[in-house]
Amino acid sequence: MKSYLKRKAVSSAHERYLQKLWFTQLQVWSTQLAILVIFLWIWEVAANRQWIDPFLFSSPSRIWSLAVQMTLTGELLHHTWLTLWETIVGFLIGTLAGIAVAILIWASPFLSRVLEPYLVMLNSMPKVALGPLFIVTMGAGFGSVLAMAISITVIITTIVIHHRFQSVDQSYLIVARSFGATRSQIFRKIIFPASIPDMIAALKVNVGLAWVGVIVGEFLVSKAGLGYLIIYGFQVFHLTLVMVSLWIVAIISAVMYQFIDWLEHRWIHHRYS
Amino acid sequence: MKTSLYAIEIQNLTHTYFTKKAEMTAIRSVSFSVNPGEFIVIVGPSGCGKSTILSLIAGLFPFTEGEILLFGAPVRQPSSQVGYMLQKDGLLEWRTVDANIRLGLEIQHIANAENIAYARKLLNRVGLSDSLNKYPTQLSGGMRQRVALVRTLATRPDILLLDEPFSALDIQHKLYLEELLVQLLADGQKTAILVTHDLEEAIAIGDRILVMGGKPGQIRREFIVPSELRQLSPIKARGHPAFRPLFEQLWNEVETP
């Protein structure tokens, strides 16, 4: 690390400054790690000494050994992979369809005004309540879970991106129009690229929403997946299984979020700021 | 197409903005003509319709009454003969300087090697060729406005419309850009209309000054800048003995309500 700092430093004062930054970063990381370790330790001790009921709240060691056991049988990977796949497909389709609808209604201001009350209604409606409709039309399986994830992401994406299209800096539009740009040129050269940061922000929000859709979808219909494990564990009162699934959902959704965050930084480094 | 002696002819131009609550007539019965190669400056208080006239000449939206002719042809929509520049540079943040100065060429489907080379040559003229691959956020306000000027000139418009392009800049950048503008326009024998509230700027770079006022806006008076001032560069003109008297006259005309 020292040599890395030296390479970037332009002077010894700058090197000290970088070291200070690095030291603060280390402090943040170690505090974060300490909080996690202490939390798990208190949980473990509390469960072992019966301060909390280990039957209800399980304990880190029980969760760990069940996770290891289920990994060895391949069961955990199977359920995790299914849920992950449903989430990724659901959130990609939901986001892309949302952007596509936003483009469509941007192209026709008349259509946009006609559809507005419907969009508002669909947006404020709890999409989870559509579950029974999905099940009767698509059967109790993959299709319904996917439909849930898509329905929960698509409307809000449409509204946010369409709003963004409309609020692009007027001076950009005047410049393009003064050069004689057609409406389609204005969209391709100005409005769409100007909205890319917001589309990536929508991806970030939609990761979280798609997880909600998939887990609830699996609660309702599925015979597999992490949502299924949670509801199954709850029904047979095997709460360690619920905890294992919760931890995996938490870890994977955080990783997905970080991945999009990384994508955002890579893609739009200093171009948009 | 009938030919005209004038680069721009404005006849009895009236424009009314409509909103849900009201209508507001921005300009009424404005008429003036601009000779090819002439530099017109329009001055006047805020809200007198100066900017409206420029957007109408640029064809950004239809006017209510009257006629605008560019080299004899009526204006109905934006024309590639016209270059339009605003106080806000409108540089696209996600494009490099190089990509920004090509915007007009791309929109008009003329982004060939020759025109791109011309745009880069202009960038060199304004002293920014080393910023070719930078993004607008890495440039100062004056540099950004120079890039915007290059972007406007890259499509080789015959007529340049400038809506307070320098008013957000500090005095040094402003003077430098005035000099650049006058040099670049002299190269191409271009016709220009500049809208400004800076009376010194008006005298320093204009051939003729139109004073607007009132609501709705009308042309109150016209000043011809004497030829001895016109021949000088904007900075030198400010030091000429004929500069102050004209400034006083202009000041009185703009001030009186």
Side-chain angles (χ1 to χ4, degrees):
Chain A
M1 203 58 223
K2 273 268 157 99
S3 63
Y4 160 77
L5 287 178
K6 280 227 170 70
R7 238 180 294 133
K8 277 205 156 177
V10 292
S11 69
S12 60
H14 188 222
E15 193 190 329
R16 280 196 298 280
Y17 169 74
L18 289 180
Q19 273 173 345
K20 202 173 156 232
L21 283 187
W22 174 240
F23 183 65
T24 312
Q25 184 62 61
L26 279 181
Q27 279 181 315
V28 169
W29 281 337
S30 46
T31 312
Q32 285 168 338
L33 188 66
I35 289 174
L36 184 66
V37 168
I38 291 169
F39 171 73
L40 291 175
W41 179 73
I42 292 177
W43 188 0
E44 182 70 31
V45 170
N48 286 341
R49 304 208 174 162
Q50 304 288 327
W51 297 342
I52 56 171
D53 187 349
F55 182 67
L56 293 184
F57 296 102
S58 191
S59 72
S61 60
R62 288 179 179 84
I63 293 169
W64 178 252
S65 59
L66 182 65
V68 169
Q69 186 199 324
M70 287 177 76
T71 310
L72 291 177
T73 61
E75 209 182 341
L76 195 60
L77 190 68
H78 166 70
H79 290 291
T80 306
W81 177 245
L82 180 69
T83 301
L84 186 62
W85 178 239
E86 285 164 344
T87 309
I88 291 174
V89 173
F91 118 92
L92 283 181
I93 294 180
T95 309
L96 294 179
I99 293 172
V101 175
I103 293 174
L104 195 72
I105 60 181
W106 179 86
S108 163
F110 181 75
L111 188 66
S112 132
R113 285 190 63 180
V114 170
L115 290 181
E116 197 197 335
Y118 296 103
L119 283 175
V120 169
M121 195 175 71
L122 283 173
N123 184 46
S124 45
M125 167 158 195
K127 262 66 74 178
V128 176
L130 297 171
L133 278 180
F134 292 144
I135 297 170
V136 296
T137 49
M138 274 167 278
F142 186 77
S144 290
V145 177
L146 203 60
M148 195 73 94
I150 293 170
S151 68
I152 220 166
T153 48
V154 71
I155 306 292
I156 188 69
T157 308
T158 301
I159 290 175
V160 169
I161 300 297
H162 180 241
H163 181 255
R164 174 64 192 140
F165 285 167
Q166 288 177 312
S167 55
V168 166
D169 194 333
Q170 284 296 318
S171 64
Y172 292 167
L173 304 183
I174 293 174
V175 166
R177 284 181 53 214
S178 75
F179 282 125
T182 62
R183 210 167 146 75
S184 135
Q185 279 180 323
I186 288 177
F187 185 78
R188 284 181 286 120
K189 293 197 184 291
I190 313 282
I191 291 183
F192 190 82
S195 306
I196 286 175
D198 300 77
M199 293 181 195
I200 292 179
L203 282 181
K204 273 181 166 176
V205 174
N206 286 349
V207 169
L209 289 177
W211 275 100
V212 174
V214 165
I215 297 294
V216 171
E218 288 180 348
F219 279 4
L220 288 178
V221 302
S222 162
K223 301 281 171 282
L226 295 170
Y228 161 76
L229 287 185
I230 291 170
I231 210 79
Y232 173 78
F234 164 66
Q235 281 163 352
V236 301
F237 245 68
H238 184 9
L239 285 149
T240 305
L241 180 59
V242 175
M243 292 291 184
V244 168
S245 314
L246 285 181
W247 274 96
I248 291 172
V249 170
I251 291 166
I252 296 179
S253 55
V255 168
M256 275 175 82
Y257 185 89
Q258 285 297 322
F259 172 73
I260 292 168
D261 199 52
W262 171 81
L263 200 71
E264 184 175 27
H265 280 276
R266 230 188 97 97
W267 202 334
I268 54 179
H269 186 43
H270 51 228
R271 301 188 190 188
Y272 303 85
S273 54
Chain B
M1 197 176 92
K2 74 172 179 178
T3 50
S4 168
L5 286 172
Y6 294 114
I8 306 168
E9 257 185 287
I10 293 179
Q11 300 159 350
N12 271 316
L13 188 66
T14 296
H15 187 68
T16 306
Y17 291 105
F18 295 100
T19 65
K20 272 186 187 169
K21 283 188 180 158
E23 56 171 39
M24 201 272 289
T25 301
I27 49 170
R28 176 164 294 156
S29 303
V30 170
S31 300
F32 65 92
S33 305
V34 186
N35 296 308
E38 198 177 14
F39 200 127
I40 298 285
V41 183
I42 304 178
V43 296
S46 306
C48 71
K50 308 184 293 270
S51 299
T52 302
I53 293 182
L54 285 202
S55 2
L56 294 176
I57 300 173
L60 292 181
F61 41 85
F63 42 85
T64 316
E65 262 176 70
E67 189 59 286
I68 303 175
L69 304 171
L70 301 183
F71 298 104
V75 170
R76 293 292 173 266
Q77 63 211 20
S79 147
S80 59
Q81 279 182 310
V82 173
Y84 188 47
M85 196 175 158
L86 296 158
Q87 182 182 338
K88 251 190 122 178
D89 53 61
L91 296 182
L92 305 178
E93 305 293 335
W94 57 91
R95 285 180 173 231
T96 59
V97 167
D98 192 34
N100 260 298
I101 60 177
R102 283 198 308 243
L103 180 72
L105 301 174
E106 286 173 21
I107 287 173
Q108 295 174 7
H109 304 290
I110 50 170
N112 53 34
E114 187 205 334
N115 286 334
I116 290 170
Y118 175 70
R120 289 185 182 154
K121 202 181 94 193
L122 286 172
L123 195 69
N124 193 28
R125 278 290 306 272
V126 304
L128 285 176
S129 44
D130 55 340
S131 300
L132 199 65
N133 295 314
K134 286 188 181 160
Y135 287 94
T137 45
Q138 297 170 282
L139 305 178
S140 73
M143 291 159 96
R144 291 176 66 117
Q145 206 53 280
R146 278 185 269 165
V147 176
L149 179 62
V150 170
R151 180 189 60 196
T152 309
L153 292 173
T155 55
R156 303 178 212 235
D158 301 312
I159 295 168
L160 209 57
L161 306 173
L162 307 152
D163 194 349
E164 307 199 31
F166 310 140
S167 50
L169 303 179
D170 59 71
I171 186 73
Q172 256 131 351
H173 267 109
K174 184 186 208 139
L175 293 177
Y176 176 61
L177 268 157
E178 285 175 8
E179 295 280 338
L180 264 179
L181 179 71
V182 168
Q183 286 168 19
L184 287 169
L185 292 194
D187 287 356
Q189 276 299 304
K190 291 184 196 303
T191 310
I193 302 182
L194 170 78
V195 159
T196 183
H197 54 252
D198 181 341
L199 303 183
E200 288 195 5
E201 183 170 275
I203 301 169
I205 57 183
D207 296 328
R208 192 146 56 98
I209 301 168
L210 304 176
V211 180
M212 284 188 71
K215 278 188 184 186
Q218 281 168 317
I219 295 177
R220 295 162 54 100
R221 218 179 134 180
E222 178 184 296
F223 288 91
I224 311 274
V225 177
S227 59
E228 62 263 35
L229 283 179
R230 266 187 266 166
Q231 283 154 5
L232 295 173
S233 75
I235 293 174
K236 290 211 174 100
R238 280 174 162 88
H240 192 275
F243 187 86
R244 268 300 126 185
L246 185 55
F247 181 85
E248 299 295 335
Q249 265 184 302
L250 200 55
W251 174 259
N252 289 331
E253 190 59 44
V254 176
E255 271 286 295
T256 37

